[in-house]
Amino acid sequence: MQMSDVLANAVDQDKGADLNLIAPWDGQPTGMVLTIVGPDSDTARRADIALVDELAEMADLDGRVTAEQRAKAKLNALARRVIRWDVKEDGNPVPFDTKAVLKLLAVGWVREQVDAFAGDHRNFAPGAR
């Protein structure tokens, strides 16, 4: 591998990779597919910067941020990594927007799968998509 390969992969990670959500109770695909950018992408870098900015804005005069505020900021950063989806409700596409992504990510098992997928470099290896 050469430096150009590493840099090209980081750029390629902005295209995202598909995560097929799996139901935790039976291990079966849910039919919901989220496209998530890789951890080395520019989008992920900007999401990390926005997270730090958000935490700074939340801090009180002594620089403290509550656990609830930290959890909200972390969820927002994770949502910024989801760039599109194929999610349906009663056979109709659910419109993709930040509010809808945050609503889905509020479910623990969904958040766990998205977080694990987004941070796993193997999902974004050259030729993995």
Side-chain angles (χ1 to χ4, degrees), residues 44-72:
R45 182 188 63 77
R46 288 192 319 269
D48 291 342
I49 291 169
L51 170 63
V52 174
D53 285 344
E54 192 172 342
L55 289 170
E57 289 174 16
M58 291 175 169
D60 65 15
L61 293 176
D62 294 323
R64 291 182 298 229
V65 179
T66 67
E68 184 176 341
Q69 289 170 317
R70 280 192 298 274
K72 179 181 178 186

Short mmCIF file of all heavy atoms in Angstrom, two decimals, residues 44-72:
data_model
loop_
_atom_site.label_atom_id
_atom_site.label_comp_id
_atom_site.label_asym_id
_atom_site.label_seq_id
_atom_site.Cartn_x
_atom_site.Cartn_y
_atom_site.Cartn_z
N ALA A 44 -16.88 12.63 8.45
CA ALA A 44 -16.68 12.20 9.84
C ALA A 44 -15.81 13.21 10.60
O ALA A 44 -16.08 13.51 11.76
CB ALA A 44 -16.06 10.81 9.89
N ARG A 45 -14.79 13.72 9.93
CA ARG A 45 -13.92 14.73 10.56
C ARG A 45 -14.73 15.97 10.94
O ARG A 45 -14.62 16.49 12.06
CB ARG A 45 -12.78 15.11 9.61
CG ARG A 45 -11.79 16.11 10.20
CD ARG A 45 -10.79 16.59 9.16
NE ARG A 45 -11.43 17.31 8.06
CZ ARG A 45 -11.87 18.57 8.13
NH1 ARG A 45 -11.75 19.25 9.25
NH2 ARG A 45 -12.46 19.14 7.09
N ARG A 46 -15.59 16.41 10.02
CA ARG A 46 -16.42 17.58 10.30
C ARG A 46 -17.43 17.29 11.41
O ARG A 46 -17.74 18.16 12.23
CB ARG A 46 -17.12 18.06 9.03
CG ARG A 46 -16.18 18.73 8.04
CD ARG A 46 -16.91 19.45 6.90
NE ARG A 46 -18.05 18.75 6.35
CZ ARG A 46 -18.01 17.89 5.34
NH1 ARG A 46 -16.86 17.61 4.75
NH2 ARG A 46 -19.11 17.32 4.89
N ALA A 47 -17.95 16.06 11.46
CA ALA A 47 -18.88 15.68 12.53
C ALA A 47 -18.17 15.72 13.88
O ALA A 47 -18.77 16.15 14.88
CB ALA A 47 -19.45 14.29 12.27
N ASP A 48 -16.91 15.29 13.93
CA ASP A 48 -16.14 15.34 15.18
C ASP A 48 -15.90 16.78 15.63
O ASP A 48 -15.99 17.10 16.81
CB ASP A 48 -14.81 14.61 15.01
CG ASP A 48 -14.97 13.11 14.86
OD1 ASP A 48 -16.05 12.58 15.21
OD2 ASP A 48 -14.01 12.46 14.39
N ILE A 49 -15.60 17.64 14.67
CA ILE A 49 -15.39 19.06 15.00
C ILE A 49 -16.69 19.67 15.51
O ILE A 49 -16.70 20.42 16.50
CB ILE A 49 -14.84 19.83 13.77
CG1 ILE A 49 -13.42 19.37 13.47
CG2 ILE A 49 -14.91 21.34 13.99
CD1 ILE A 49 -12.88 19.86 12.14
N ALA A 50 -17.80 19.36 14.85
CA ALA A 50 -19.10 19.88 15.28
C ALA A 50 -19.44 19.38 16.68
O ALA A 50 -20.04 20.12 17.47
CB ALA A 50 -20.18 19.48 14.29
N LEU A 51 -19.06 18.15 17.00
CA LEU A 51 -19.30 17.61 18.33
C LEU A 51 -18.57 18.45 19.38
O LEU A 51 -19.16 18.83 20.41
CB LEU A 51 -18.83 16.15 18.40
CG LEU A 51 -18.78 15.51 19.78
CD1 LEU A 51 -20.16 15.43 20.42
CD2 LEU A 51 -18.14 14.12 19.70
N VAL A 52 -17.31 18.75 19.13
CA VAL A 52 -16.54 19.56 20.08
C VAL A 52 -17.15 20.95 20.21
O VAL A 52 -17.29 21.48 21.33
CB VAL A 52 -15.05 19.63 19.65
CG1 VAL A 52 -14.27 20.59 20.53
CG2 VAL A 52 -14.42 18.24 19.68
N ASP A 53 -17.54 21.54 19.09
CA ASP A 53 -18.18 22.87 19.13
C ASP A 53 -19.49 22.82 19.93
O ASP A 53 -19.77 23.72 20.74
CB ASP A 53 -18.47 23.38 17.72
CG ASP A 53 -17.24 23.86 16.99
OD1 ASP A 53 -16.20 24.08 17.65
OD2 ASP A 53 -17.32 24.00 15.76
N GLU A 54 -20.27 21.78 19.68
CA GLU A 54 -21.56 21.64 20.37
C GLU A 54 -21.36 21.50 21.88
O GLU A 54 -22.07 22.12 22.68
CB GLU A 54 -22.31 20.44 19.81
CG GLU A 54 -23.75 20.34 20.23
CD GLU A 54 -24.51 19.24 19.50
OE1 GLU A 54 -24.05 18.75 18.46
OE2 GLU A 54 -25.59 18.87 20.01
N LEU A 55 -20.37 20.71 22.28
CA LEU A 55 -20.08 20.54 23.71
C LEU A 55 -19.62 21.85 24.33
O LEU A 55 -20.01 22.18 25.46
CB LEU A 55 -19.03 19.45 23.92
CG LEU A 55 -19.50 18.03 23.65
CD1 LEU A 55 -18.32 17.06 23.65
CD2 LEU A 55 -20.55 17.59 24.67
N ALA A 56 -18.82 22.61 23.60
CA ALA A 56 -18.35 23.91 24.11
C ALA A 56 -19.52 24.87 24.31
O ALA A 56 -19.57 25.60 25.30
CB ALA A 56 -17.32 24.51 23.15
N GLU A 57 -20.47 24.84 23.37
CA GLU A 57 -21.64 25.71 23.49
C GLU A 57 -22.55 25.30 24.64
O GLU A 57 -23.23 26.14 25.24
CB GLU A 57 -22.42 25.71 22.18
CG GLU A 57 -21.73 26.42 21.05
CD GLU A 57 -22.45 26.28 19.72
OE1 GLU A 57 -23.64 25.89 19.71
OE2 GLU A 57 -21.83 26.57 18.69
N MET A 58 -22.57 24.01 24.96
CA MET A 58 -23.42 23.50 26.03
C MET A 58 -22.84 23.76 27.42
O MET A 58 -23.57 23.76 28.41
CB MET A 58 -23.61 21.98 25.88
CG MET A 58 -24.44 21.57 24.72
SD MET A 58 -24.43 19.75 24.63
CE MET A 58 -25.70 19.49 23.41
N ALA A 59 -21.54 23.98 27.49
CA ALA A 59 -20.87 24.11 28.78
C ALA A 59 -21.39 25.30 29.57
O ALA A 59 -21.67 26.36 29.02
CB ALA A 59 -19.37 24.24 28.57
N ASP A 60 -21.49 25.09 30.87
CA ASP A 60 -21.90 26.19 31.73
C ASP A 60 -20.69 27.10 32.00
O ASP A 60 -19.61 26.90 31.43
CB ASP A 60 -22.54 25.67 33.03
CG ASP A 60 -21.59 24.90 33.93
OD1 ASP A 60 -20.35 24.98 33.74
OD2 ASP A 60 -22.08 24.21 34.84
N LEU A 61 -20.85 28.06 32.87
CA LEU A 61 -19.78 29.02 33.12
C LEU A 61 -18.52 28.37 33.69
O LEU A 61 -17.41 28.91 33.53
CB LEU A 61 -20.27 30.12 34.07
CG LEU A 61 -21.36 31.03 33.48
CD1 LEU A 61 -21.86 32.01 34.53
CD2 LEU A 61 -20.84 31.75 32.26
N ASP A 62 -18.67 27.23 34.33
CA ASP A 62 -17.52 26.51 34.89
C ASP A 62 -16.98 25.47 33.91
O ASP A 62 -16.08 24.69 34.26
CB ASP A 62 -17.90 25.83 36.20
CG ASP A 62 -18.24 26.84 37.30
OD1 ASP A 62 -17.57 27.89 37.34
OD2 ASP A 62 -19.16 26.57 38.09
N GLY A 63 -17.53 25.41 32.72
CA GLY A 63 -17.06 24.48 31.71
C GLY A 63 -17.64 23.09 31.82
O GLY A 63 -17.19 22.17 31.15
N ARG A 64 -18.67 22.93 32.66
CA ARG A 64 -19.26 21.60 32.84
C ARG A 64 -20.37 21.36 31.82
O ARG A 64 -21.13 22.27 31.46
CB ARG A 64 -19.84 21.47 34.25
CG ARG A 64 -18.77 21.43 35.33
CD ARG A 64 -19.41 21.27 36.67
NE ARG A 64 -20.26 22.42 36.94
CZ ARG A 64 -20.25 23.14 38.04
NH1 ARG A 64 -19.48 22.82 39.04
NH2 ARG A 64 -21.05 24.18 38.18
N VAL A 65 -20.44 20.10 31.38
CA VAL A 65 -21.48 19.65 30.47
C VAL A 65 -22.12 18.44 31.13
O VAL A 65 -21.42 17.54 31.59
CB VAL A 65 -20.89 19.27 29.09
CG1 VAL A 65 -21.98 18.76 28.16
CG2 VAL A 65 -20.15 20.44 28.48
N THR A 66 -23.43 18.43 31.20
CA THR A 66 -24.11 17.31 31.86
C THR A 66 -24.01 16.04 31.00
O THR A 66 -23.76 16.09 29.80
CB THR A 66 -25.61 17.62 32.09
OG1 THR A 66 -26.26 17.69 30.81
CG2 THR A 66 -25.80 18.91 32.87
N ALA A 67 -24.26 14.92 31.65
CA ALA A 67 -24.25 13.64 30.93
C ALA A 67 -25.32 13.63 29.84
O ALA A 67 -25.09 13.12 28.73
CB ALA A 67 -24.46 12.49 31.91
N GLU A 68 -26.46 14.20 30.14
CA GLU A 68 -27.54 14.26 29.15
C GLU A 68 -27.13 15.10 27.94
O GLU A 68 -27.39 14.73 26.79
CB GLU A 68 -28.81 14.84 29.78
CG GLU A 68 -30.00 14.85 28.85
CD GLU A 68 -31.28 15.33 29.53
OE1 GLU A 68 -31.35 15.31 30.77
OE2 GLU A 68 -32.19 15.73 28.80
N GLN A 69 -26.47 16.21 28.19
CA GLN A 69 -26.00 17.05 27.09
C GLN A 69 -24.93 16.34 26.26
O GLN A 69 -24.94 16.42 25.03
CB GLN A 69 -25.43 18.37 27.63
CG GLN A 69 -26.47 19.30 28.20
CD GLN A 69 -25.84 20.47 28.94
OE1 GLN A 69 -24.88 20.30 29.70
NE2 GLN A 69 -26.39 21.67 28.70
N ARG A 70 -24.02 15.62 26.93
CA ARG A 70 -22.98 14.87 26.20
C ARG A 70 -23.61 13.79 25.34
O ARG A 70 -23.20 13.58 24.19
CB ARG A 70 -21.98 14.25 27.18
CG ARG A 70 -20.95 15.24 27.68
CD ARG A 70 -19.81 14.53 28.41
NE ARG A 70 -20.24 13.82 29.60
CZ ARG A 70 -20.39 14.34 30.80
NH1 ARG A 70 -20.15 15.62 30.98
NH2 ARG A 70 -20.78 13.61 31.81
N ALA A 71 -24.61 13.09 25.88
CA ALA A 71 -25.28 12.03 25.12
C ALA A 71 -25.97 12.61 23.89
O ALA A 71 -25.92 12.02 22.80
CB ALA A 71 -26.28 11.30 26.01
N LYS A 72 -26.60 13.76 24.05
CA LYS A 72 -27.28 14.41 22.92
C LYS A 72 -26.27 14.82 21.85
O LYS A 72 -26.50 14.59 20.66
CB LYS A 72 -28.05 15.64 23.41
CG LYS A 72 -28.77 16.38 22.30
CD LYS A 72 -29.50 17.59 22.81
CE LYS A 72 -30.16 18.33 21.65
NZ LYS A 72 -30.77 19.57 22.06
#
